[in-house]
Amino acid sequence: MISTEVTGGPVGVKTKLVPRRRRRNRTTYVIKSILLWTFSLLFLLPFAWMVSSSLKRNIDVFSIPPKWIPNPIEWANYVEVWLHGDPSMAIFFSNSITVSLIGVLGDLTTASMAGYAFARLSFAGRDKIFLLYLATAIVPSQLLLIPRFMFFQQLGLYKTLWALILPGIFTVFGTFLCRQAFLSLPGEFGEAARIDGAGEWRVFFNVYLPQIRPTLAALGIISFVGSWNDYEGPLIMLSDKELFTVPLGLTRFVDADGGLSAGFAMAGSVSSVIPIMIIFLLFQRQFIAALASSGLK
Amino acid sequence: MSHPTSISRRALIGGAAAIGTATLAGCNLAKGGGGSGSGSNSVSLNVWGGVPNETGPDDLCKAFMAEHPDIKVTYTRYVNDEQGNLKLDTSLTGGVPIDMYFSYSPARLSQRASNGLAVDLTDKITAEKDFSQFAVDADPLGNYVFDGKQYAVPAARAPSQVYINQSMLDEAGIKLGDNWTTDEFVQVAKELTKPGRFGSLDYPPQARAVLGPDYRYKNDGKASNFADPWFAKELQLAQRLKQDKVVMDQKTIIAEKLQTFSQNPYIAGRVAMLIASGQIIRSINDTAQYPHDFKTFVMPIPSPQKGKQGWNTGQIGDLITVSPKSQHQDEAWELAKFWVRNAGKYMTKGGRLPTMPGSSTEDDILAQLLSDKADTLYDVESWRRFLFSPNLKMPVDTIFTAGTEIDTILQKLNDETLLGTRSVSSWVQQAVKQSDAAIKKAGAGS
Amino acid sequence: MSVLSGRAPASPPGTALTGPITPALRPRRRSRGTGGMSTRVGWLFILPNLIGFLIFTLVPLIGGVGISFTDWNVISGLSGIKWVGLQNFAELITDGTFWAAVGRTVIYAGVGVPLTMAGGLVLALCLNGPVFGRAVLRVIFFIPHIVSSIALGFVWLILLHPTAGLVNLALESLGINDPPGWLVSQQWSLLSLVFITSWAGMGFHAVIFLSAMQALPTELYEAAELDGAGAWTRFTTITWRALMPTTTFLFIMSLIGHSQGFGLIAFLTQGGPGDSSTTLSYLMYQTGFQNYRFGDAAAMGMLSFVGVLLLTVFFWRFQRGRGLYT
């Protein structure tokens, strides 16, 4: 299956392989496609339910048996979400974008550097520090919530977007992920470059970093999704409505008794998922581009 | 805060009262002068509450500021869930400027008060003539008292009531008065039960209705009271009604999260009756999101003992507290009083029934609560009878030892018992055992 | 790169398991080694992340660990912290509720982690090859990771509804008369949650596996294919071994996720019915966030930390030397 992606290799050998394989590949292709698409329905359901609920009246949202096609269709839910409320969704979006973008770019930078050092450089104290990193990842995050809140208040970061951005820039997860990606590359790459006289920074930036582009893309997506959907962080750190991110802004549709205006909430959720899907599709291109370029090398 | 940092902390605390009065006097002068409050003199109050801004608080704060041009009120909404309350607590202890805040359960208020996060309001409440119903010695008690002191003033009451689909009543030819017993409730529920429809979503509460305040405790809170026969009676009836399919089965209730979204089956006509507090009214009023074509008749919680009026199972709420760390405690108290007296005018349309009518008449409150379509959505007279009945007794608890732990214990045991996997006698045994342990632990801890 | 592809064809196909790879691997201990690198360079690379890590993670963490030795309810403020030493731990160790929750967590993670990982790996393998609408499929499998947990929760409430749910309607049509109540049944609630959590995490795992697969040098596969290695051999000799660092990573992440995850539990079952789905993390949430016994909650957190740490170290040792280049 992977072989069809391969473009290099001796031409003669390849053409010899193709005719016998093609028929079998065609059948596997069809079977695999059918199976995967069937299975994917199970994963499409929550999104389908969200979209359908976002167009329903509240009473229809939780009706049993569920109605998948809204009747009547309530476009008004989207109007309510986007045009009403003070401040409007647009403000929440711009806050979320600020937090997520700065966080992702920062995370990619610091995590790739640290991950590289942990995987490919050797220096005194490295393994001890890495162990510390790993150990902190294991500590339940709920344990950190209150100390972090109190500490951030001391630092004066509480009530600012920095309280959300800064922790997102220095993640153990990203470092760990990058380290593992660098580990799966052969060490010979760097040695060759070093023999050619490249400095450490160039070895990292020009030789190793491009190799883990798919991982960086994955990290970018995951880090973006994580900070875009984060509810607990903003809930604990922010109180000024003008600074709310999207998930916190959606609490407008939860009343004081815990009830939920589900149609509105879902219209808001659908609106908030769309940017992520766009980002994901864009990064898909990155995946494929990275694959293509490494294949052409 | 706009205070110059040169003023020492002690001077601020000590002189808070003086400054407060001065600014209040100043504010009256400013009002006379007609100018808007000047920046340096104005006081800024920060209020934290769980009710969304646009459903009343913003309007109320605006009205307050119009009366007090030198006070600027900022209402911050916190989400009234576990994390949201945690945030309020950490903010209060951590020195985030909060002058006045709301608690929505007496257990939380009790916790906050006993940890020094609430100003003692006992004397202030006594000093207000129209607040007599909230005073320490009021009978029946209309406010929470902890060791003879009061730390909050309630702005709302949330009685529980039985919502009844009037079309179904008419169809069955049932006429209801203004009161009933548990047996009558059961009888009506049976008559309203049809294929595909339950007579009621909920079983009738009995222990709370009979035992009233502090029904979960005995010996002044040193032990739990679950061995009282009323608890077993309530659950036995519940089990029977669920078996007979008169009351909705527990599986469906859990599976559809109907403890939280109980309005749906009622408005959709899957059940004829529903026992809940006032939040259902907002859904009934919202005919765009919850279209329906029947009127809602209301009845009080049925009395378990014939001829003896039971306690309501709701509670008083929207408990307003002044923070001891506030530098403007007097202004905060001004706002608290204003809030209680004007809640009827600004908060009722959000479904919050005021503790004090203020300038609002019964008709005003009914009109606000039941919306301008009241005549098509409700049997208004039944609502008037219920809401303003002198018989409506709200239990005001005074003991909260291990309250949240006991909630958790009961939720689990109730689920099992109502699902039919635990017997009532085992419920009693376990509820007593586990709650006593929790009470003991909480007592040892403090 | 040329080093690898140049040498590989020389190996006989029969020894594919070790054949084509060993020559490239021989210098691996050295390749990770010093090469004249100074400690200073290493630290410079780590520094930006390390500083942030120390400030934003380690300091709060020390605070959190400290809480586990105290009796504290947050509301009492910093002055209300009472040092109790090991008392919280001593009480937990004799607490039946705690151990019951530990047992449930073991089931939850013991079934959930392998299921999530296997699902993710299979999805990644499928999505790495040619499939109709591959780019769209990748997004679809990732959906549970991006949509709101309310949506996830409600879809499963609907699907697993005891009487009106698709799952039970299907079972009934197959002649099963009394299908389980799933989320509302004491016997099935935990397993239902395991399944739902795995379903929700699979796409995430697939994305990470995919990214690692795509970073693999394609020459390896060319070489192996020229050697006549079949798909399965290629998987076991190249993919699986090259993915070892990623697998380790995902295993640890999944273990952490299962030992800490409570969002879906809180929404779907709230630990019930009864306490049939009260895992350690949910018990901790209840103890801390609902009952405000933060000292006890932190102590539970610490014990769960030790458990996961032991497992991690064990797995770490196990995988060491089994990867391609590590």
Side-chain angles (χ1 to χ4, degrees):
Chain A
M1 51 192 183
I2 292 151
S3 59
T4 52
E5 299 276 324
V6 176
T7 46
V11 178
V13 181
K14 192 157 193 186
T15 40
K16 209 173 76 193
L17 281 172
V18 166
R20 186 160 46 90
R21 286 236 161 162
R22 186 168 281 165
R23 220 175 311 130
R24 216 177 70 198
N25 279 354
R26 176 72 45 87
T27 333
T28 11
Y29 176 85
V30 171
I31 294 175
K32 214 161 73 176
S33 297
I34 292 174
L35 282 179
L36 270 180
W37 275 97
T38 317
F39 192 49
S40 79
L41 290 182
L42 196 57
F43 290 74
L44 258 178
L45 276 180
F47 187 63
W49 186 81
M50 256 168 79
V51 173
S52 126
S53 299
S54 74
L55 295 170
K56 282 179 189 166
R57 298 170 303 187
N58 275 333
I59 190 162
D60 298 327
V61 174
F62 303 130
S63 65
I64 295 284
K67 284 183 244 168
W68 286 89
I69 294 161
N71 175 34
I73 293 183
E74 286 280 311
W75 296 105
N77 289 351
Y78 282 90
V79 175
E80 168 71 29
V81 167
W82 279 97
L83 300 184
H84 298 183
D86 169 39
S88 79
M89 263 307 250
I91 303 281
F92 302 147
F93 258 84
S94 89
N95 290 331
S96 278
I97 288 170
T98 310
V99 171
S100 304
L101 276 188
I102 302 180
V104 168
L105 292 178
D107 194 22
L108 287 177
T109 311
T110 71
S112 61
M113 285 172 67
Y116 174 71
F118 280 129
R120 290 279 152 231
L121 303 177
S122 78
F123 54 93
R126 180 189 74 176
D127 292 345
K128 285 194 187 99
I129 297 179
F130 184 69
L131 209 67
L132 187 68
Y133 264 67
L134 195 57
T136 56
I138 299 173
V139 173
S141 55
Q142 298 152 44
L143 203 60
L144 297 179
L145 205 58
I146 295 167
R148 194 177 258 175
F149 171 86
M150 298 191 137
F151 183 55
F152 276 34
Q153 212 182 307
Q154 298 295 316
L155 295 180
L157 290 171
Y158 166 76
K159 276 188 160 185
T160 69
L161 289 183
W162 290 109
L164 308 178
I165 294 171
L166 287 174
I169 293 180
F170 313 100
T171 65
V172 173
F173 172 82
T175 308
F176 193 14
L177 181 66
C178 288
R179 175 189 184 266
Q180 302 303 88
F182 283 121
L183 275 185
S184 63
L185 298 174
E188 285 77 6
F189 287 0
E191 273 172 23
R194 273 184 207 111
I195 290 163
D196 292 347
E200 282 310 320
W201 176 257
R202 282 198 48 203
V203 172
F204 163 68
F205 198 77
N206 292 345
V207 179
Y208 277 103
L209 198 59
Q211 298 291 325
I212 66 155
R213 256 187 300 186
T215 301
L216 292 180
L219 175 59
I221 291 169
I222 285 159
S223 163
F224 189 91
V225 170
S227 88
W228 187 267
N229 282 342
D230 183 21
Y231 171 68
E232 234 164 52
L235 179 76
I236 293 291
M237 294 297 172
L238 302 179
S239 54
D240 185 353
K241 271 196 298 179
E242 299 292 325
L243 292 179
F244 278 11
T245 55
V246 175
L248 200 53
L250 289 178
T251 56
R252 177 157 85 86
F253 306 115
V254 181
D255 65 33
D257 307 306
L260 178 75
S261 297
F264 297 147
M266 285 305 137
S269 302
V270 170
S271 308
S272 86
V273 161
I274 303 287
I276 302 183
M277 293 201 152
I278 292 170
I279 297 259
F280 198 102
L281 275 167
L282 288 178
F283 273 78
Q284 282 294 306
R285 293 246 170 85
Q286 274 295 118
F287 271 151
I288 293 159
L291 182 75
S293 69
S294 69
L296 286 169
K297 223 181 283 165
Chain B
M1 297 258 99
S2 56
H3 281 280
T5 42
S6 57
I7 299 177
S8 81
R9 221 183 124 165
R10 204 167 147 214
L12 268 179
I13 295 167
I19 295 168
T21 355
T23 22
L24 275 181
C27 119
N28 288 333
L29 284 175
K31 212 181 194 175
S36 60
S38 62
S40 59
N41 282 341
S42 72
V43 167
S44 183
L45 285 182
N46 284 294
V47 179
W48 282 40
V51 181
N53 292 57
E54 57 269 29
T55 57
D58 278 353
D59 292 340
L60 192 144
C61 291
K62 239 178 247 160
F64 179 77
M65 286 189 276
E67 251 181 53
H68 304 268
D70 272 18
I71 303 180
K72 188 180 176 301
V73 182
T74 311
Y75 178 87
T76 301
R77 191 253 168 133
Y78 73 88
V79 184
N80 184 26
D81 60 7
E82 271 113 25
Q83 284 109 319
N85 275 289
L86 181 65
K87 177 188 179 165
L88 173 60
D89 287 329
T90 37
S91 302
L92 283 168
T93 54
V96 175
I98 299 174
D99 302 281
M100 182 184 126
Y101 62 88
F102 284 82
S103 303
Y104 295 91
S105 86
R108 292 203 187 272
L109 171 65
S110 154
Q111 252 176 344
R112 285 166 186 150
S114 61
N115 285 290
L117 297 183
V119 169
D120 178 359
L121 296 174
T122 321
D123 296 337
K124 288 192 162 96
I125 292 172
T126 317
E128 303 294 321
K129 281 207 185 73
D130 56 342
F131 279 11
S132 61
Q133 57 164 317
F134 306 130
V136 219
D137 47 7
D139 185 34
L141 217 50
N143 191 4
Y144 293 104
V145 181
F146 308 97
D147 292 329
K149 286 183 184 157
Q150 295 181 311
Y151 297 92
V153 51
R157 54 195 185 121
S160 290
Q161 55 240 340
V162 186
Y163 293 78
I164 310 173
N165 183 320
Q166 175 142 34
S167 305
M168 294 181 186
L169 274 185
D170 294 345
E171 188 188 275
I174 300 171
K175 284 262 179 291
L176 289 171
D178 57 357
N179 216 334
W180 54 354
T181 62
T182 305
D183 293 339
E184 285 162 345
F185 172 93
V186 170
Q187 192 52 41
V188 172
K190 278 182 181 155
E191 284 176 44
L192 293 177
T193 303
K194 272 189 158 185
R197 178 172 103 196
F198 294 98
S200 173
L201 178 69
D202 311 271
Y203 58 88
Q206 299 190 62
R208 177 64 146 179
V210 173
L211 303 171
D214 299 325
Y215 72 124
R216 290 175 174 181
Y217 300 92
K218 63 179 184 188
N219 304 344
D220 290 330
K222 287 191 189 67
S224 73
N225 192 32
F226 297 114
D228 188 285
W230 282 106
F231 286 97
K233 243 185 198 171
E234 176 178 320
L235 284 168
Q236 271 151 1
L237 178 64
Q239 276 188 336
R240 211 172 61 231
L241 291 175
K242 281 180 192 280
Q243 241 159 36
D244 298 347
K245 301 201 189 315
V246 170
V247 162
M248 190 182 264
D249 58 291
Q250 198 67 10
K251 263 190 186 176
T252 309
I253 290 178
I254 303 176
E256 296 178 23
K257 298 191 87 64
L258 296 181
Q259 299 101 327
T260 321
F261 302 103
S262 58
Q263 68 272 35
N264 277 49
Y266 172 71
I267 296 178
R270 288 170 63 202
V271 300
M273 298 196 283
L274 168 72
I275 303 178
S277 64
Q279 78 262 28
I280 306 297
I281 294 175
R282 267 170 296 167
S283 302
I284 296 177
N285 289 347
D286 187 356
T287 45
Q289 292 285 335
Y290 292 94
H292 59 290
D293 53 6
F294 60 86
K295 284 187 181 182
T296 294
F297 192 91
V298 74
M299 284 294 281
I301 302 293
S303 306
Q305 296 155 301
K306 198 169 170 61
K308 204 171 164 198
Q309 180 62 45
W311 289 88
N312 191 276
T313 50
Q315 58 185 14
I316 51 172
D318 292 20
L319 308 164
I320 306 179
T321 300
V322 175
S323 166
K325 290 188 179 159
S326 163
Q327 292 166 350
H328 308 288
Q329 294 182 10
D330 290 287
E331 290 87 340
W333 175 239
E334 275 312 304
L335 177 58
K337 286 189 289 187
F338 183 88
W339 201 296
V340 174
R341 286 172 184 147
N342 293 278
K345 201 160 164 189
Y346 299 103
M347 304 292 290
T348 313
K349 62 176 179 297
R352 312 195 85 77
L353 202 61
T355 42
M356 280 178 69
S359 58
S360 311
T361 62
E362 279 187 12
D363 284 325
D364 291 341
I365 289 175
L366 278 175
Q368 292 243 3
L369 194 66
L370 306 180
S371 84
D372 48 2
K373 296 168 296 238
D375 288 334
T376 53
L377 295 176
Y378 300 93
D379 178 280
V380 180
E381 281 317 302
S382 70
W383 282 86
R384 185 192 302 278
R385 281 198 304 267
F386 169 72
L387 288 176
F388 305 109
S389 159
N391 293 331
L392 185 57
K393 285 195 293 182
M394 306 289 283
V396 177
D397 293 325
T398 57
I399 306 168
F400 302 99
T401 316
T404 48
E405 282 94 338
I406 294 179
D407 282 341
T408 310
I409 293 167
L410 287 190
Q411 190 211 324
K412 296 190 164 173
L413 293 175
N414 284 353
D415 270 354
E416 291 174 348
T417 309
L418 298 171
L419 281 170
T421 54
R422 182 183 287 283
S423 70
V424 173
S425 56
S426 152
W427 181 95
V428 171
Q429 188 212 343
Q430 284 300 316
V432 170
K433 190 177 136 204
Q434 295 180 21
S435 304
D436 282 350
I439 290 170
K440 205 170 150 203
K441 184 159 170 123
S446 62
Chain C
M1 282 221 161
S2 57
V3 183
L4 283 165
S5 50
R7 285 185 190 181
S11 312
T15 55
L17 197 81
T18 47
I21 292 148
T22 349
L25 286 186
R26 201 159 290 146
R28 76 175 185 215
R29 287 287 165 218
R30 196 161 47 84
S31 75
R32 236 177 127 193
T34 48
M37 221 169 289
S38 73
T39 289
R40 197 175 56 90
V41 176
W43 278 91
L44 280 180
F45 268 94
I46 288 197
L47 212 57
N49 194 282
L50 186 63
I51 293 174
F53 165 78
L54 291 177
I55 298 178
F56 300 115
T57 306
L58 201 63
V59 172
L61 177 68
I62 293 169
V65 172
I67 294 175
S68 67
F69 300 104
T70 65
D71 180 4
W72 188 42
N73 65 4
V74 174
I75 300 195
S76 54
L78 292 175
S79 56
I81 298 183
K82 228 172 36 188
W83 186 263
V84 296
L86 290 172
Q87 190 194 322
N88 292 335
F89 293 93
E91 279 173 13
L92 277 184
I93 284 173
T94 54
D95 182 358
T97 320
F98 170 74
W99 288 109
V102 169
R104 281 181 217 110
T105 310
V106 170
I107 298 175
Y108 185 60
V111 184
V113 171
L115 192 62
T116 316
M117 292 184 67
L121 183 60
V122 170
L123 279 185
L125 283 171
C126 293
L127 291 174
N128 198 30
V131 161
F132 178 74
R134 189 164 63 162
V136 179
L137 274 178
R138 284 176 184 167
V139 181
I140 292 177
F141 287 116
F142 201 59
I143 280 179
H145 194 70
I146 55 178
V147 304
S148 80
S149 55
I150 295 188
L152 292 191
F154 263 109
V155 164
W156 284 103
L157 285 179
I158 291 170
L159 292 177
L160 295 178
H161 191 287
T163 49
L166 278 181
V167 172
N168 277 0
L169 289 180
L171 287 177
E172 274 165 16
S173 70
L174 289 175
I176 296 167
N177 282 329
D178 195 16
W182 305 115
L183 290 165
V184 296
S185 135
Q186 277 162 273
Q187 290 84 41
W188 291 93
S189 61
L190 189 61
L191 279 177
S192 306
L193 282 170
V194 167
F195 176 73
I196 294 171
T197 316
S198 298
W199 163 86
M202 240 173 238
F204 169 82
H205 282 229
V207 163
I208 306 262
F209 271 129
L210 255 179
S211 76
M213 286 176 191
Q214 293 182 354
L216 295 183
T218 46
E219 287 82 353
L220 282 176
Y221 291 99
E222 279 174 58
E225 191 161 356
L226 286 177
D227 286 348
W232 177 248
T233 321
R234 269 179 285 146
F235 172 74
T236 50
T237 53
I238 306 176
T239 316
W240 177 243
R241 295 183 62 195
L243 284 181
M244 204 36 115
T246 308
T247 311
T248 311
F249 169 78
L250 283 177
F251 174 79
I252 295 171
M253 284 298 145
S254 186
L255 200 60
I256 295 170
H258 277 83
S259 67
Q260 298 186 4
F262 71 95
L264 274 173
I265 302 181
F267 181 79
L268 285 171
T269 64
Q270 290 167 300
D275 44 16
S276 58
S277 62
T278 304
T279 61
L280 188 51
S281 57
Y282 189 72
L283 185 67
M284 185 176 147
Y285 173 77
Q286 247 176 3
T287 311
F289 286 49
Q290 291 181 350
N291 300 343
Y292 271 41
R293 297 207 319 263
F294 281 91
D296 289 337
M300 280 181 210
M302 290 304 296
L303 289 178
S304 126
F305 163 78
V306 171
V308 176
L309 187 69
L310 288 178
L311 278 171
T312 304
V313 169
F314 178 79
F315 191 76
W316 197 263
R317 286 267 158 83
F318 170 81
Q319 62 93 33
R320 195 174 251 180
R322 280 166 208 257
L324 258 187
Y325 307 110
T326 35

